[in-house]
């Protein structure tokens, strides 16, 4: 009986260790690096970090940025003490300023990833979208985004739009863009074009440079 008990005990320990090893193998390793996005404009550079809590939006934005999609697009809508908006393909594919912000017919949307913890604070990066009356699921535009310029944030937008990133540096540049002369449609009278690049940086370095803390 003692031999049987000892074998059973050893077998149980073996199975526990095997299960723990399998579980560890399944768990994805957390990368020590993250991707910093730089939006370069005539007013200066804006650096962003994108949130892992919104994986669909993060992957989509990085894909577009790396492909060069955003290069040549403009910040086509600016409202001081509110936000600056850009990223529409129409702002670079033709010379008609009246369709900037309308998007293209072939565009797909991204499912909403609205997270209560991700708020519309100063420098928050969020996805533009069509209104609830045609878009009750609050799905996001495939490319258009806005940056909150109000220094007190825009809390009335919390829970309505997907916030998927935050400005690391260049908040003064966001202010400068918002202060540009504009027409009655809130479009800058002089194009504010952007070039967007992506760089992998160690998370430790990101924290050191910008004070951004990872959970």
């Amino acid at each position: 009986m003692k031999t049987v008990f000892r074998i059973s005990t050893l077998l149980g320990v073996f199975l526990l260790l095997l299960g723990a090893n399998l579980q560890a193998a399944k768990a994805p390793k957390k990368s020590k690096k993250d991707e910093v996005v730089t939006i370069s404009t005539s007013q200066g550079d804006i650096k962003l970090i994108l949130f892992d809590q919104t994986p669909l939006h993060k992957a989509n934005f990085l894909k577009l940025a790396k492909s060069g999609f955003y290069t040549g697009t403009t910040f086509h809508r600016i409202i001081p003490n509110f936000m600056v908006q850009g990223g529409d393909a129409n702002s670079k594919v033709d010379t008609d300023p009246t369709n900037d912000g309308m998007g293209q017919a072939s565009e797909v949307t991204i499912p909403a990833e609205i997270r209560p913890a991700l708020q519309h604070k100063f420098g928050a990066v969020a996805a533009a979208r069509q209104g609830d009356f045609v878009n009750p699921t609050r799905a996001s535009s495939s490319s258009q985004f806005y940056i909150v310029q109000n220094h007190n944030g825009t809390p009335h937008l919390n829970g309505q739009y997907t916030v998927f990133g935050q400005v690391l540096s260049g908040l003064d540049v966001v202010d400068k863009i918002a202060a540009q002369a504009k027409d009655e449609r809130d479009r800058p009278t002089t194009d504010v074009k952007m070039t967007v690049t992506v760089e992998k940086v160690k998370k430790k370095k990101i924290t050191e440079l910008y004070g951004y803390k990872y959970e």
Side-chain angles (χ1 to χ4, degrees), residues 74 76-78 91 97 100 181-183 185-189 191:
T74 72
H76 62 267
R77 185 176 178 228
I78 57 174
S91 65
D100 292 356
K182 61 177 184 171
D183 62 21
R185 294 179 294 109
D186 296 321
R187 188 182 188 280
T189 53
D191 284 350

Side-chain angles (χ1 to χ4, degrees), residues 16 24 59 66 78 82 92 98 118 122 133 157 166 168 209:
L16 283 173
K66 291 175 182 178
I78 57 174
F82 183 33
K92 73 172 183 177
T98 64
L118 305 179
F122 181 31
F133 62 99
L157 297 181
Q166 179 66 35
L168 293 173
L209 289 174

Side-chain angles (χ1 to χ4, degrees), residues 7-191:
I7 292 173
S8 298
T9 302
L10 290 172
L11 180 61
V13 171
F14 171 76
L15 290 174
L16 283 173
L17 291 173
L18 179 62
N21 288 333
L22 288 173
Q23 193 67 27
K26 288 180 182 179
K29 290 184 178 179
K30 287 189 176 182
S31 174
K32 293 184 178 180
K33 293 185 177 182
D34 203 350
E35 291 171 292
V36 175
V37 177
T38 301
I39 301 177
S40 299
T41 75
S42 58
Q43 303 301 312
D45 291 351
I46 304 167
K47 291 187 180 291
L48 317 173
I49 199 75
L50 306 180
F51 299 141
D52 289 334
Q53 299 97 309
T54 53
L56 299 178
H57 286 71
K58 180 172 184 174
N60 177 73
F61 192 97
L62 291 175
K63 179 181 178 181
L64 293 177
K66 291 175 182 178
S67 72
F69 171 89
Y70 284 117
T71 298
T73 62
T74 72
F75 282 99
H76 62 267
R77 185 176 178 228
I78 57 174
I79 303 177
N81 297 315
F82 183 33
M83 60 91 219
V84 298
Q85 181 176 332
D88 183 16
N90 290 342
S91 65
K92 73 172 183 177
V93 299
D94 60 41
T95 57
D96 179 11
T98 64
N99 67 8
D100 292 356
M102 296 177 64
Q104 297 187 309
S106 59
E107 286 184 3
V108 296
T109 56
I110 307 169
E113 293 180 297
I114 298 171
R115 309 287 185 247
L118 305 179
Q119 304 284 299
H120 280 78
K121 60 183 180 180
F122 181 31
V125 183
R129 67 174 178 83
Q130 291 185 307
D132 288 0
F133 62 99
V134 294
N135 179 28
T137 63
R138 296 176 172 172
S140 301
S141 161
S142 62
S143 66
Q144 292 188 59
F145 65 95
Y146 60 91
I147 302 174
V148 175
Q149 186 267 328
N150 190 306
H151 290 209
N152 295 316
T154 55
H156 62 285
L157 297 181
N158 290 338
Q160 299 186 55
Y161 295 79
T162 297
V163 173
F164 66 95
Q166 179 66 35
V167 172
L168 293 173
S169 70
L171 289 171
D172 59 322
V173 178
V174 177
D175 283 340
K176 289 177 183 177
I177 293 172
Q180 297 299 297
K182 61 177 184 171
D183 62 21
E184 67 280 356
R185 294 179 294 109
D186 296 321
R187 188 182 188 280
T189 53
T190 300
D191 284 350

